[in-house]
Each structure stands twice: as C-alpha cells, then as structure tokens.
Amino acid sequence: MSSVSAACNESTASECTEQKKPLKACCACPETKKVRDACIIEKGEGSCTDLIEAHKECMRALGFKI
C-alpha cells in the first residue's frame, strides 16, 4: 500500500462520517485527490494509474460507489 492510500483507512473513514454531515464526493479524500490531480496535469492520466487507484480506494472506504 502506498503512503498516499495509507492515509485513507477504515477507522479514519468511520470517524469522518460519524462526526460530520454527509460527506460530498468533491470534499472526500483531499490528500489523494490533490496528488492525483497534480500527477494527471503534469504527466497525463496514463502515467498516474497508481494514484488514481489510491484515490478510488479512499473514496470506497468512505462509502462512495466508484
């Protein structure tokens, strides 16, 4: 597991959803989203598949269906 996806574990996901109003997809997983977006802009989508997958894993851990 990469250091990016390590920030998104199940305990963090449950803490986030229990303490706040329902999380919107645009605000979920800001750590992985920022790194993913920067990579896509600089290198193109094809070069960032690992970061894209890490962001998807984080989103799924928060209950988003992607």
Side-chain angles (χ1 to χ4, degrees), residues 18-50:
E18 289 175 3
Q19 294 176 0
K20 300 178 184 177
K21 293 180 181 179
L23 189 60
K24 295 180 181 180
C26 63
C27 302
C29 303
E31 307 87 11
T32 57
K33 183 177 181 178
K34 182 178 179 179
V35 176
R36 177 207 64 183
D37 290 351
C39 181
I40 291 171
I41 290 168
E42 293 173 14
K43 300 177 183 177
E45 189 174 334
S47 300
C48 304
T49 55
D50 57 333

